[in-house]
Amino acid sequence: MEVITTHINADFDCLGGMIAAKKLYPKAEMVFAGSQERSLREFFLHSASYAYAFKRVKDIDLDRVTRLILVDVREPGRIGPFEDVARRSGVEIHIYDHHQDSDEDHLSGVVEVIEPVGSTVTVFSHLFMERGIHPNADEATLMMLGLYEDTGSLMFSSTTVKDFQAAAFLLEHGANLTEVADFLTYEMTPEQVRLLHDLLANRMVLNIHGYDVSVAHASVDQFVGDLAVLTHKLRDMENLRALITVVRMGDRIFMVGRSSLPEVHVGEILSEFGGGGHAFAASATVRDLTLVQVLDRLASVLKRQVNPRLEVRHLMSHPVKTVAPDESIEHVREFLTRYNINAVPVVEGDCVLGLLTRQVVERAAHHGLGDVAAREYMESDFATVEPEDPIDILQDLIVRRNQRFVPVMSEGQLIGAITRTDLLRYMVDRAPRSEGGREPAEETAQTEYKPREVIRLLRNRLPERIQDLLEQIGRCGDELGVKVFVVGGFVRDLLLDLPNLDLDIVVEGDGIAFAEHYARQHQCRVRAHQKFGTAVIVLPDEFKVDVASTRVEFYLEPAALPTVENASIKLDLYRRDFTINTLAISLNGERFGEIHDFFGGLRDLRQKAIRVLHNLSFVEDPTRVFRAVRFEQRLEFHIGKQTEHLIRSAVRMGFLERLGGPRLLSELQHILEEEHPYPAIERLSQLDLLKFLHPSLDLPVDCEDLFDRATRSLNWFDLLYTEESCQRWLVYLLCLVTRLDDDAMQGLCDRLSIPGRYRSLLADERHRAHGVLKGMRRRWRQARRKPRNSDLYVWFEGFSIETLLYLMARIETEDVRRWVSLYVTRLRDEKSWIDGEDLKKMGIPPGPQYKEILRRVLLARLDGKATTREEEIAFVTRRYRSLIT
């Protein structure tokens, strides 16, 4: 008889693996060795798809078993009644597992298929691919359940490329993701909620050989199921790298371990308590010991089992494969594939010039940049380590700076490398501590804010109504069971102590549903945009709050608008432009004020640096070039070395030429709306960006003085309090293009797709203004006396306020500038006393001549020749006597 079985407390990976094994051994009986986890038990209650195929242990004659197929397990102590069968002489054992080897006792089989992947289902999926075996839709769905459960929906750190390939294979064969999601959705019972609360309250941190291991304990009288799920939740809530939960339930002690640190092998640790598992997940059940005894023993086991701190030299790989800076992107792509590596240093002689990752190379190739030299998109802003450095120094480089490949240097020579894969298990979420080695360089250190510090900043720097609003938004998120964050520029400026009340709220869920729920509670209006999953909440006082679902953006080609998909908060922040704009603050309940910094934004705020998140940022969205300059000048920061290199590369490659006019105009308008725009304009010129507005556009020597006079003119106009609106950016744009001829100006309008309402001002009105300017200058040189008021009126009549202020900026002489100010403050609003009705009463027949007559009357009034109603009538009587009947 053939029997397929798995470990006690079976989960979905066990189920999926057993279903897969049945395809390989169609005559075998499927038998669970013990109980199942609650999620699996509930599955059998709601789905009868495979219930008929499983048998109970009592229905099997164990003495007749000749072949034992073990799925997801190798330890004899974890297969219950089948342990004796496995040890019996003459029984053939076949093992399919994904757990790595450990020092504990494990079985050997005549067939062993063991691979270090995320789930046992992955092992079977690849066997199916190799042998041409095709699961049906139901089988694929059950296998996908196991794969998703054990890999955390392909997001656990233990997930491998093979797991993604297995998921694709199962999806091709009809795996139903809706059913997978339904069965993996987990709601806690009241008993589990209370137990989780107790575990949170009783968590302590033991520092073992420099590594933090959290131990949470609790005691309940009745059995509470799914301690493994609660352990997962506790780990995720507290963002822990190593956690062991110890719970007394009745007369037994249950232990569950989870770890992402290779030094903390929870499988080996819990094997000393009679349990087992692998390096990242394990469990044990203890009898005949009290909770206190288990905790005391656990402390000593941890000291013995947790490995001492390693040095870089213990993990580095050598020799290191390298590429030359002039090698093409396509060559580097083939190079990475050939050697099955994910990153490579770019080396010239003995000098490491930069780094290239597979991600950047693949994206560059996707955008048609295969012929471009490696030096164009290599990461030139990177850190190196020395072989004697402690592993801890790498934690900050990989976690905080997202440096996937770290060169190991000794006396100026490249002697090895550490990759992200090598160090994945060492990554931590706090600033590193170094024992016996050099401290991390200052530029890699991280400024951290505790929630209470962020709350204090919110209270000290925000109006009370905004504080209340943020708290209300957080409570709304709690009610809906979704995570809510305030993100982006608001967080950046809060930390920099700059005024900014533009609230950008993101929701890990349905942003529109969230906005509508909030609006119902607080009598607000909502404007929703279904296509993008965004909404605007309009409060009763007309204050607006932007709300969006967390999403990720994909660019199908350079400079194109992005394709949007739902994503996690981390991926949502990754789509943003610069690290300083990727900060988020949690608004939910007890996590209110917790700051999230996935990409080194806090570090760059402290260093006053503008940095993009990846090397193809300006290829995918070239408008970020202009935003980089704007933020640099507004915040008085500096563009990082690598980011400036990428900007110059984007300029050389001509990616900004692909930008549509409206997008380019929008970015230019934002720059010109800054309080002092000239430094940003000058920076654009330094980076050779002005040519993308028009090839003839450059900065004249006196441009800074022109902008300065424009600023003074605008400030002067603001102090008039006329309540007349003025587009400041148009005034500055006129200053920027002041040397362009009419044809070039028309070309710039076409390039930027200037709307009609502005085009006439920038083309026709500007042309006439330049003629008036030339005439005024000639008049001043020849006569050096003030023109008549009527002359000023004729010169400036019909000009917009923007053009008038531009003329004031163009005039260097104060006396001449007063001519324009006189027209703006008094002359342009003058009206004649008489009108058409008066002309009619005087006996002048109605007709087109009325307009000319009244204009002449107004000009006479401006020159003081007719200052009263009677004088105006007399003026008309004298001048137009022949028209009076």
Side-chain angles (χ1 to χ4, degrees):
M1 177 188 292
E2 297 179 340
V3 170
I4 300 170
T5 191
T6 185
H7 59 76
I8 55 179
N9 295 325
D11 56 15
F12 279 118
D13 193 35
C14 299
L15 172 65
M18 293 173 72
I19 294 299
K22 181 72 171 176
K23 300 287 286 184
L24 299 179
Y25 304 91
K27 295 181 180 181
E29 300 290 351
M30 293 187 293
V31 185
F32 285 108
S35 61
Q36 300 94 41
E37 289 188 353
R38 192 189 75 172
S39 57
L40 188 53
R41 294 196 305 272
E42 290 185 352
F43 170 80
F44 282 122
L45 287 175
H46 294 91
S47 174
S49 299
Y50 276 86
Y52 71 91
F54 288 89
K55 291 191 174 181
R56 294 175 294 181
V57 174
K58 68 179 182 179
D59 296 329
I60 299 296
D61 185 351
L62 299 182
D63 293 333
R64 295 181 55 229
V65 176
T66 57
R67 177 182 289 173
L68 189 63
I69 299 103
L70 299 180
V71 173
D72 200 43
V73 66
R74 277 182 286 168
E75 298 82 5
R78 301 188 70 210
I79 56 176
F82 291 101
E83 179 178 358
D84 293 336
V85 176
R87 296 189 184 277
R88 193 171 68 223
S89 175
V91 174
E92 185 177 293
I93 298 177
H94 294 197
I95 299 173
Y96 299 86
D97 196 8
H98 74 109
H99 298 149
Q100 297 179 357
D101 287 332
S102 65
D103 294 333
E104 63 192 65
D105 179 33
H106 60 77
L107 297 167
S108 297
V110 295
V111 173
E112 289 188 356
V113 184
I114 302 166
E115 290 196 54
V117 291
S119 76
T120 301
V121 164
T122 299
V123 175
F124 282 106
S125 296
H126 282 269
L127 282 176
F128 285 9
M129 288 183 241
E130 294 168 7
R131 301 181 186 182
I133 299 173
H134 303 286
N136 61 37
D138 287 337
E139 292 165 341
T141 300
L142 294 176
M143 292 174 68
M144 188 73 92
L145 273 167
L147 174 60
Y148 267 41
E149 182 185 60
D150 254 30
T151 62
S153 299
L154 300 174
M155 296 200 310
F156 285 171
S157 60
S158 55
T159 306
T160 67
V161 172
K162 286 192 172 184
D163 296 304
F164 282 89
Q165 294 168 343
F169 170 77
L170 297 173
L171 198 58
E172 288 175 349
H173 286 80
N176 188 323
L177 293 181
T178 300
E179 290 186 18
V180 171
D182 289 342
F183 283 113
L184 290 183
T185 301
Y186 182 87
E187 294 184 6
M188 291 191 295
T189 66
E191 293 78 12
Q192 289 171 328
V193 171
R194 285 192 290 270
L195 178 54
L196 181 59
H197 180 271
D198 290 344
L199 290 170
L200 280 166
N202 297 312
R203 182 174 70 88
M204 57 185 174
V205 180
L206 304 178
N207 190 269
I208 312 295
H209 301 306
Y211 296 98
D212 285 347
V213 180
S214 291
V215 177
H217 63 89
S219 181
V220 293
D221 292 329
Q222 74 282 3
F223 178 83
V224 179
D226 292 320
L227 180 58
V229 175
L230 299 183
T231 303
H232 267 293
K233 286 186 176 293
L234 177 57
R235 183 194 63 179
D236 293 341
M237 290 170 63
E238 298 297 308
N239 202 12
L240 306 175
R241 301 307 305 275
L243 169 65
I244 297 175
T245 54
V246 186
V247 181
R248 182 192 69 81
M249 299 184 191
D251 59 352
R252 298 182 185 181
I253 308 294
F254 294 88
M255 306 177 71
V256 173
R258 294 292 183 266
S259 172
S260 59
L261 299 172
E263 295 80 5
V264 185
H265 192 304
V266 290
E268 295 178 352
I269 291 168
L270 295 191
S271 70
E272 297 205 22
F273 294 87
H278 53 90
F280 303 104
S283 62
T285 302
V286 182
R287 298 174 177 83
D288 303 323
L289 289 177
T290 66
L291 180 61
V292 173
Q293 289 174 318
V294 171
L295 292 172
D296 287 343
R297 183 181 173 191
L298 178 59
S300 62
V301 170
L302 287 172
K303 291 178 181 178
R304 185 171 62 256
Q305 287 282 3
V306 175
N307 297 321
R309 190 178 303 272
L310 300 177
E311 292 181 343
V312 166
R313 60 188 173 86
H314 294 128
L315 285 184
M316 73 178 187
S317 302
H318 62 90
V320 184
K321 298 289 185 181
T322 64
V323 296
D326 293 325
E327 297 285 359
S328 70
I329 289 292
E330 186 58 35
H331 172 83
V332 176
R333 185 185 188 185
E334 295 171 358
F335 183 93
L336 294 172
T337 301
R338 184 185 315 128
Y339 293 104
N340 194 29
I341 55 179
N342 292 313
V344 63
V346 182
V347 175
E348 190 170 51
D350 293 331
C351 182
V352 180
L353 300 180
L355 308 174
L356 266 174
T357 64
R358 181 182 294 275
Q359 183 184 36
V360 170
V361 169
E362 292 290 349
R363 293 173 76 174
H366 171 74
H367 290 301
L369 305 175
D371 295 332
V372 178
R375 69 168 72 245
E376 295 294 343
Y377 293 112
M378 67 183 184
E379 176 66 52
S380 57
D381 185 10
F382 61 93
T384 63
V385 294
E386 296 180 0
E388 293 76 26
D389 286 335
I391 295 299
D392 292 28
I393 201 170
L394 294 159
Q395 297 170 355
D396 195 79
L397 297 180
I398 292 177
V399 177
R400 310 298 186 192
R401 297 186 60 177
N402 293 308
Q403 184 170 325
R404 300 183 175 195
F405 183 101
V406 182
V408 182
M409 309 293 291
S410 179
E411 299 180 355
Q413 299 291 318
L414 177 65
I415 65 168
I418 300 290
T419 67
R420 183 175 63 171
T421 301
D422 296 329
L423 288 166
L424 186 59
R425 299 170 188 172
Y426 291 89
M427 291 190 301
V428 295
D429 57 11
R430 58 183 176 81
R433 299 178 303 278
S434 184
E435 291 182 3
R438 62 175 183 168
E439 290 298 322
E442 181 180 351
E443 64 268 24
T444 67
Q446 177 87 23
T447 301
E448 294 187 354
Y449 288 84
K450 291 181 169 50
R452 64 175 179 273
E453 295 173 315
V454 175
I455 292 172
R456 185 170 65 250
L457 292 178
L458 293 171
R459 290 174 178 168
N460 293 340
R461 297 178 179 178
L462 296 178
E464 186 174 348
R465 68 185 184 94
I466 302 299
Q467 298 175 41
D468 294 341
L469 177 60
L470 294 175
E471 291 177 0
Q472 291 169 2
I473 290 171
R475 286 195 293 270
C476 182
D478 292 336
E479 292 168 5
L480 294 176
V482 296
K483 295 180 181 178
V484 187
F485 309 84
V486 59
V487 304
F490 172 85
V491 181
R492 177 198 67 219
D493 292 344
L494 174 73
L495 301 179
L496 292 174
D497 198 12
L498 297 174
N500 186 347
L501 298 182
D502 294 331
L503 297 186
D504 186 2
I505 303 298
V506 296
V507 181
E508 277 195 341
D510 189 333
I512 294 177
F514 174 89
E516 292 172 344
H517 181 81
Y518 180 90
R520 285 193 295 269
Q521 289 185 331
H522 300 278
Q523 292 75 52
C524 305
R525 305 194 312 275
V526 173
R527 296 201 299 264
H529 306 280
Q530 296 289 343
K531 179 179 179 181
F532 300 104
T534 63
V536 177
I537 300 174
V538 184
L539 275 63
D541 62 358
E542 296 302 313
F543 185 82
K544 297 178 179 62
V545 178
D546 292 323
V547 179
S549 304
T550 50
R551 60 196 192 274
V552 65
E553 297 174 348
F554 299 93
Y555 293 84
L556 299 180
E557 59 183 38
L561 292 173
T563 300
V564 178
E565 293 182 5
N566 291 336
S568 66
I569 181 63
K570 182 176 181 179
L571 288 177
D572 180 89
L573 295 173
Y574 185 67
R575 70 183 174 81
R576 295 172 186 265
D577 44 18
F578 308 108
T579 58
I580 60 172
N581 293 332
T582 63
L583 300 170
I585 296 176
S586 290
L587 300 181
N588 294 84
E590 294 183 357
R591 305 192 74 170
F592 187 90
E594 181 178 312
I595 198 163
H596 298 267
D597 178 18
F598 298 105
F599 308 108
L602 291 173
R603 177 203 67 219
D604 289 341
L605 282 182
R606 191 187 71 255
Q607 295 180 358
K608 297 187 174 182
I610 305 296
R611 292 191 175 96
V612 289
L613 276 71
H614 58 82
N615 286 8
L616 292 176
S617 183
F618 297 128
V619 174
E620 296 180 341
D621 186 1
T623 61
R624 291 170 176 161
V625 168
F626 293 89
R627 292 202 289 278
V629 170
R630 175 158 55 93
F631 285 126
E632 178 190 48
Q633 299 305 316
R634 178 203 293 177
L635 302 175
E636 298 183 351
F637 279 24
H638 68 276
I639 295 177
K641 174 183 174 182
Q642 171 69 7
T643 299
E644 181 167 338
H645 165 77
L646 295 172
I647 290 175
R648 295 189 182 278
S649 178
V651 170
R652 287 196 303 273
M653 302 295 292
F655 286 115
L656 283 88
E657 295 174 358
R658 307 183 190 185
L659 278 176
R663 296 181 69 195
L664 196 54
L665 175 62
S666 176
E667 293 301 328
L668 179 61
Q669 182 176 342
H670 285 313
I671 288 175
L672 295 176
E673 286 173 341
E674 293 290 320
E675 186 175 358
H676 300 289
Y678 181 76
I681 295 298
E682 184 177 40
R683 188 73 162 113
L684 292 178
S685 178
Q686 293 171 358
L687 294 171
D688 202 21
L689 290 167
L690 293 179
K691 68 182 182 183
F692 294 103
L693 306 179
H694 192 276
S696 303
L697 185 61
D698 58 12
L699 290 188
V701 176
D702 62 345
C703 192
E704 184 174 7
D705 291 336
L706 178 59
F707 268 73
D708 184 58
R709 291 195 297 271
T711 299
R712 291 201 299 271
S713 297
L714 286 162
N715 292 341
W716 167 81
F717 179 74
D718 288 341
L719 292 174
L720 296 179
Y721 299 107
T722 64
E723 297 186 0
E724 180 181 359
S725 64
C726 174
Q727 303 284 343
R728 296 176 68 94
W729 70 274
L730 278 173
V731 179
Y732 287 124
L733 179 56
L734 286 165
C735 293
L736 175 61
V737 301
T738 189
R739 299 298 173 88
L740 292 185
D741 61 29
D742 291 346
D743 289 340
M745 191 65 221
Q746 190 64 49
L748 182 140
C749 288
D750 293 339
R751 170 69 181 100
L752 299 183
S753 301
I754 300 287
R757 64 183 183 278
Y758 299 138
R759 186 179 288 256
S760 60
L761 183 153
L762 293 170
D764 301 336
E765 196 171 308
R766 171 181 173 273
H767 173 78
R768 187 164 71 88
H770 284 177
V772 169
L773 181 63
K774 187 180 296 184
M776 285 194 302
R777 285 172 172 167
R778 184 170 58 250
R779 179 76 169 260
W780 177 251
R781 285 195 302 269
Q782 292 174 352
R784 289 193 175 272
R785 60 183 176 82
K786 175 188 171 185
R788 294 176 302 176
N789 288 349
S790 59
D791 293 331
L792 296 178
Y793 189 90
V794 171
W795 289 348
F796 303 139
E797 183 183 16
F799 282 149
S800 64
I801 188 61
E802 290 84 6
T803 299
L804 292 169
L805 295 177
Y806 163 64
L807 281 173
M808 290 184 70
R810 283 290 309 271
I811 299 169
E812 299 87 356
T813 307
E814 185 63 32
D815 287 338
V816 179
R817 195 177 298 120
R818 290 196 187 99
W819 300 352
V820 183
S821 67
L822 174 63
Y823 174 78
V824 170
T825 56
R826 189 170 69 84
L827 301 183
R828 67 176 178 147
D829 293 326
E830 285 285 347
K831 305 291 181 186
S832 60
W833 286 101
I834 64 175
D835 57 19
E837 288 297 320
D838 294 307
L839 297 180
K840 187 175 182 180
K841 290 176 181 178
M842 293 173 65
I844 299 177
Q849 66 268 25
Y850 273 24
K851 181 177 181 180
E852 175 61 25
I853 293 171
L854 292 175
R855 177 177 170 78
R856 288 290 180 180
V857 171
L858 176 60
L859 295 178
R861 175 180 175 80
L862 293 174
D863 289 338
K865 297 178 181 178
T867 58
T868 66
R869 177 181 177 83
E870 291 73 19
E871 289 178 351
E872 288 183 1
I873 292 175
F875 175 83
V876 172
T877 301
R878 289 194 308 272
R879 289 289 300 268
Y880 299 98
R881 185 182 304 275
S882 61
L883 297 179
I884 300 175
T885 58

